[in-house]
Amino acid sequence: MLKSLLRYQSDSGNVSENLMRKKMYENGVTNSLRSNFALLLKLSEELLDKWLSYPESQHVPLCQHMLGFAMKSVTQMVMGSTFEDEQEVIRFQKNHGTILEDSMIFSLASCIITAKLCTWAVCFLTTYEEVQRKLYEEIDQVFGKGPVTPENIEELRYCRQVLCETVRTARLTPVSARLQDIEGKIDKFIIPRETLVLYALGVVLQDPSTWPSPYKFDPERFDDESVMKTFSLLGFSGTQECPELRFAYMVTTVLLSVLVRRLHLLSVEGQVIETKYELVTSSKEEAWITVSKRY
């Protein structure tokens, strides 16, 4: 089970085959996002309509709503109606067992990561009003009064910076693990093949030697290309970005485009959000916000 979760095939030490398999899944995620963009937009607008119906004084349970949104987004986009027929599931398992297994793992991981990224991004926006204002201005400049489209989404540079800084500041995935495909070496230490290697990403993401003012939420730090390169090397951006995080970035970008365009996202006075560090970082208790209409 551990090897499955870490995407390691013990029956094959062929690194190029594993890389090709990873590339295939990445392309699958990209194609799924493009072909299901209308569905993702619809789910975002449904959540917007729900929040618009609330009185401004009503407290919104953010974690609960983000988990529900993420679960609907992931399950409907990844699975759709493909596996409604039980016999179809059995046939698919016999012929494509590995793909089905990976799909289940991807769906579980994507639900959790997407829900937590959406939650932390909104939390930071409610805390840092200037960041929310700049994000609204970018959304207004890119979309104007027109619809949210896949092409225009790509132009939201500041939104991407906000999400990168959300991942870093919240330490979204504080630890990562991989099983060595091949024997490795660090200085004089040998890492044998099939060794479980743990990466302390939570430490690296707030290392003051890499990140000036590491505890400050500052999306503009990602204006610097060298910072983006460092982030990419850690697997949070660029060519090494994991498929689940790529999925979460796109889903969260669409959701924020829809919500921030119409709503002011506001914190609840006196609320202190305590952090719980697990495989994916979350808040210990429910995080509450309020919303008010922009127009």
Side-chain angles (χ1 to χ4, degrees), residues 145-258:
K145 299 299 181 182
V148 175
T149 65
E151 295 74 24
N152 287 344
I153 280 287
E154 298 296 327
E155 299 178 33
L156 297 176
R157 176 180 171 82
Y158 185 71
C159 185
R160 179 67 175 209
Q161 292 175 203
V162 168
L163 296 184
C164 287
E165 183 67 344
T166 296
V167 169
R168 190 200 67 81
T169 307
R171 291 183 279 189
L172 189 67
T173 54
V175 64
S176 179
R178 295 290 293 182
L179 282 164
Q180 284 288 109
D181 288 325
I182 58 176
E183 184 178 278
K185 185 177 181 181
I186 298 178
D187 294 330
K188 62 180 180 179
F189 300 101
I190 301 296
I191 304 176
R193 181 173 175 268
E194 294 198 36
T195 299
L196 177 62
V197 180
L198 300 178
Y199 300 91
L201 297 178
V203 176
V204 178
L205 288 173
Q206 295 189 353
D207 181 0
S209 65
T210 303
W211 313 95
S213 304
Y215 302 109
K216 179 183 179 182
F217 185 79
D218 180 16
E220 293 184 5
R221 73 171 77 239
F222 285 96
D223 269 336
D224 189 333
E225 289 301 321
S226 65
V227 173
M228 285 300 294
K229 184 177 180 180
T230 300
F231 213 54
S232 178
L233 292 172
L234 294 173
F236 293 114
S237 179
T239 57
Q240 297 189 38
E241 183 178 281
C242 75
E244 293 86 354
L245 191 56
R246 177 180 301 181
F247 184 94
Y249 271 134
M250 176 58 78
V251 173
T252 310
T253 300
V254 175
L255 179 64
L256 292 182
S257 298
V258 171

Side-chain angles (χ1 to χ4, degrees), residues 81-93:
S81 60
T82 304
F83 298 123
E84 289 181 356
D85 184 347
E86 182 178 319
Q87 293 304 312
E88 177 62 24
V89 176
I90 295 172
R91 283 194 296 271
F92 195 91
Q93 170 64 27

Side-chain angles (χ1 to χ4, degrees), residues 11-204:
D11 60 338
S12 172
N14 190 331
V15 176
S16 62
E17 181 180 330
N18 290 340
L19 290 174
M20 182 177 68
R21 185 163 165 253
K22 179 176 181 290
K23 186 67 175 178
M24 180 181 69
Y25 293 141
E26 289 174 348
N27 291 338
V29 171
T30 300
N31 293 336
S32 177
L33 287 167
R34 288 174 180 169
S35 60
N36 289 284
F37 189 86
L39 171 63
L40 178 55
L41 188 58
K42 173 178 171 289
L43 293 173
S44 299
E45 290 174 342
E46 286 177 357
L47 184 62
L48 170 65
D49 290 340
K50 180 186 292 186
W51 287 11
L52 283 170
S53 70
Y54 294 159
E56 292 191 359
S57 59
Q58 181 165 333
H59 290 187
V60 179
L62 183 62
C63 299
Q64 178 183 322
H65 283 201
M66 293 300 98
L67 179 59
F69 169 76
M71 289 182 67
K72 287 194 291 185
S73 298
V74 172
T75 54
Q76 291 185 42
M77 290 178 69
V78 175
M79 296 301 179
S81 60
T82 304
F83 298 123
E84 289 181 356
D85 184 347
E86 182 178 319
Q87 293 304 312
E88 177 62 24
V89 176
I90 295 172
R91 283 194 296 271
F92 195 91
Q93 170 64 27
K94 287 180 179 179
N95 297 323
H96 309 287
T98 301
I99 294 176
L100 181 60
E101 179 183 280
D102 284 352
S103 296
M104 295 299 103
I105 294 169
F106 173 83
S107 298
L108 175 61
S110 294
C111 277
I112 297 170
I113 291 176
T114 301
K116 302 311 178 187
L117 180 58
C118 288
T119 299
W120 285 116
V122 172
C123 280
F124 286 129
L125 290 176
T126 64
T127 304
Y128 297 88
E129 295 179 7
E130 180 65 14
V131 173
Q132 186 176 167
R133 183 187 64 78
K134 289 182 179 180
L135 178 58
Y136 169 74
E137 289 175 353
E138 178 181 66
I139 291 170
D140 186 57
Q141 179 180 0
V142 170
F143 297 113
K145 299 299 181 182
V148 175
T149 65
E151 295 74 24
N152 287 344
I153 280 287
E154 298 296 327
E155 299 178 33
L156 297 176
R157 176 180 171 82
Y158 185 71
C159 185
R160 179 67 175 209
Q161 292 175 203
V162 168
L163 296 184
C164 287
E165 183 67 344
T166 296
V167 169
R168 190 200 67 81
T169 307
R171 291 183 279 189
L172 189 67
T173 54
V175 64
S176 179
R178 295 290 293 182
L179 282 164
Q180 284 288 109
D181 288 325
I182 58 176
E183 184 178 278
K185 185 177 181 181
I186 298 178
D187 294 330
K188 62 180 180 179
F189 300 101
I190 301 296
I191 304 176
R193 181 173 175 268
E194 294 198 36
T195 299
L196 177 62
V197 180
L198 300 178
Y199 300 91
L201 297 178
V203 176
V204 178

